[in-house]
């Protein structure tokens, strides 16, 4: 099916690392989700005989992950980089920064969003999410199953640094003997940072380019009229600017080669979702009514949350591309129809 090449047969075991390129080591941390692991990266950061490591992404902030970190942590860590604010990436950033007295490096969008989500402010509240889903046609029974007063993010990211080092698109970060270029991508998170090392032919893709699953691209309550799918597709297309043989280090699954092929596949995947949706838009339909078209399997409350965000993202794409029109009905629900 896929013509991606996976150069590493094995996986790093719990509490161990596997070298994937000179000075680049791969480790995996468990996740208590359906997606059961995250890949993190250790980059050699020796300068002038001063040994040390840069850590890229940190795992969720729970005792199990920290116990594994204890087995792996080098003597000296020089900086922590997170690709984006999601809890599996950001959960131990504060813990590691404090422990080693070092800075967190990330983009402004990711840094501020982590704080906003932890605080449940700036539109990142359960009520705001439910309101967006209600307006997009999710029925009361399924809405009710999602009601929670718990801040799940704050449970997984128990603390977050009070200051950071800001990086922006195109920045070149010297890590040990090598230079890594920041590539900012949109659509999955506000300002996701990937890191590309031309000398090694390696890109740390984070969640922007995954090998076997398509990246979650959702409309969120903080930006309820956004077009994240357009942003995502434009962002992944930039991977075509990298050499076709670049080794992609994704946050989930195995390292692979075939970035350009994978971009083709993702574009095809989303085109197929649009083809699934269009015949259903002869009559005005809401995102809630179309969930079953996009997601064939039964969804629990947690999956419905992500599925709704994705369904709205696909409809927004069609709307902003001029392929669908939309109107709010007397019942307050937004429905989309073919142009
Ligand atoms: Zn993510």
């Amino acid at each position: 099916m896929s013509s991606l090449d996976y150069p590493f047969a094995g996986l790093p075991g719990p509490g161990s690392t596997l070298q994937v390129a000179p000075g680049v080591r791969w480790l995996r941390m468990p996740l208590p989700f359906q997606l059961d692991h995250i890949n993190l990266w250790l980059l050699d950061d020796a300068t002038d005989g001063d040994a040390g490591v840069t850590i890229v992404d940190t795992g969720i902030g729970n005792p199990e992950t920290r116990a594994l970190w204890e087995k792996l942590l080098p003597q000296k860590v020089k900086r922590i980089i997170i690709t984006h604010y999601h809890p599996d990436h950001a959960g131990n950033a504060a813990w590691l920064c404090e422990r080693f007295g070092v800075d967190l490096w990330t983009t402004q969008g990711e840094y501020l969003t982590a704080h906003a989500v932890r605080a449940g402010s700036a539109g990142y509240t359960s009520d705001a999410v439910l309101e967006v889903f209600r307006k997009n046609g999710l029925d009361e029974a399924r809405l009710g199953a999602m009601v929670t007063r718990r801040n799940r993010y704050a449970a997984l990211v128990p603390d977050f640094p009070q200051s950071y080092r800001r990086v922006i698109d195109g920045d070149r970060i010297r890590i040990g003997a090598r230079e890594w270029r920041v590539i900012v991508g949109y659509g999955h998170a506000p300002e996701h940072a990937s890191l590309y090392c031309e000398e090694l032919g390696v890109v740390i893709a984070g969640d922007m380019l995954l090998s076997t699953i398509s990246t979650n691209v959702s409309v969120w309550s903080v930006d309820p009229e956004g077009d994240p799918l357009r942003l995502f597709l434009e962002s992944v297309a930039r991977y075509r600017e990298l050499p076709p043989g670049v080794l992609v280090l994704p946050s989930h699954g195995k390292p692979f080669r075939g970035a350009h092929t994978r971009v083709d596949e993702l574009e095809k995947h989303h085109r197929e979702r649009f083809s699934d949706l269009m015949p259903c838009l002869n009559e005005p339909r809401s995102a809630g009514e179309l969930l079953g078209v996009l997601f064939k399997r039964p969804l629990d409350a947690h999956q419905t949350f992500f599925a709704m965000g994705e369904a709205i993202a696909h409809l927004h794409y069609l709307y902003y591309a001029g392929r669908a029109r939309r109107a709010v009905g007397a019942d307050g629900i937004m429905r989309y129809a073919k142009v």
Side-chain angles (χ1 to χ4, degrees):
M1 183 190 95
S2 170
S3 55
L4 304 181
D5 170 37
Y6 298 92
F8 304 96
L11 301 170
S16 65
T17 65
L18 189 72
Q19 177 162 306
V20 291
V24 181
R25 282 178 291 151
W26 170 25
L27 61 117
R28 279 164 52 107
M29 290 292 188
L31 294 179
F33 314 127
Q34 202 173 14
L35 188 60
D36 64 358
H37 71 278
I38 177 169
N39 299 324
L40 314 178
W41 314 98
L42 300 180
L43 309 181
D44 271 3
D45 197 354
T47 39
D48 303 326
D50 176 26
V53 159
T54 281
I55 294 175
V56 182
D57 286 334
T58 69
I60 57 169
N62 69 358
E64 189 184 0
T65 303
R66 289 183 183 181
L68 287 169
W69 264 129
E70 294 290 353
K71 293 186 189 171
L72 288 161
L73 283 174
Q75 288 264 305
K76 187 161 180 179
V77 171
K78 295 197 173 174
R79 97 192 92 201
I80 310 297
I81 298 176
I82 60 167
T83 55
H84 63 297
Y85 82 94
H86 289 162
D88 40 343
H89 303 259
N92 292 299
W95 181 69
L96 290 167
C97 286
E98 269 166 40
R99 181 175 181 132
F100 291 97
V102 297
D103 291 335
L104 170 69
W105 294 49
T106 193
T107 63
Q108 186 169 46
E110 301 304 326
Y111 177 76
L112 293 178
T113 300
H115 278 298
V117 179
R118 285 194 75 250
S121 65
Y124 287 102
T125 62
S126 172
D127 285 348
V129 172
L130 294 181
E131 201 37 55
V132 172
F133 289 176
R134 180 175 287 113
K135 186 184 173 193
N136 281 280
L138 195 64
D139 55 85
E140 290 300 326
R142 285 190 288 182
L143 282 170
M146 274 186 213
V147 172
T148 173
R149 293 285 142 218
R150 223 171 107 237
N151 185 331
R152 206 160 163 268
Y153 184 82
L156 300 170
V157 186
D159 196 4
F160 200 68
Q162 292 301 308
S163 67
Y164 76 119
R165 292 277 292 263
R166 184 181 181 190
V167 302
I168 63 173
D169 187 57
D171 272 0
R172 290 165 190 276
I173 306 175
R174 187 112 208 136
I175 300 173
R178 296 192 174 85
E179 193 175 76
W180 294 75
R181 176 160 60 85
V182 176
I183 303 174
V184 168
Y186 305 94
H188 173 65
E191 205 182 352
H192 180 295
S194 299
L195 294 168
Y196 170 56
C197 179
E198 186 177 2
E199 185 186 342
L200 292 174
V202 169
V203 62
I204 297 175
D207 279 347
M208 288 301 289
L209 198 64
L210 304 172
S211 61
T212 55
I213 52 177
S214 66
T215 298
N216 175 272
V217 178
S218 285
V219 168
W220 292 100
S221 53
V222 66
D223 183 16
E225 296 300 335
D227 191 1
L229 190 48
R230 177 179 64 81
L231 296 177
F232 177 75
L233 290 170
E234 287 175 4
S235 297
V236 289
R238 287 186 65 195
Y239 278 83
R240 292 204 179 93
E241 296 164 15
L242 303 182
V246 68
L247 178 65
V248 181
L249 306 183
S251 292
H252 309 284
K254 287 177 166 187
F256 66 94
R257 293 186 199 278
H260 296 197
T261 303
R262 188 58 188 144
V263 174
D264 294 344
E265 290 174 355
L266 288 167
E267 290 172 346
K268 181 163 173 274
H269 167 81
H270 289 290
R271 274 200 308 273
E272 287 169 356
R273 298 288 80 72
F274 298 138
S275 304
D276 291 342
L277 282 172
M278 286 309 283
C280 303
L281 300 183
N282 291 324
E283 296 292 324
R285 307 283 290 277
S286 70
E289 292 167 326
L290 294 165
L291 275 187
V293 174
L294 289 173
F295 303 91
K296 316 284 183 208
R297 60 201 152 81
L299 303 169
D300 64 22
H302 182 66
Q303 291 162 334
T304 303
F305 178 88
F306 289 102
M308 268 305 281
E310 293 230 14
I312 301 168
H314 280 84
L315 290 168
H316 280 192
Y317 182 98
L318 291 172
Y319 170 69
Y320 289 114
R323 295 168 63 187
R325 58 193 161 81
R326 66 179 189 177
V328 177
D331 55 3
I333 291 173
M334 177 75 82
R335 292 187 177 81
Y336 293 77
K338 242 178 222 169
V339 169

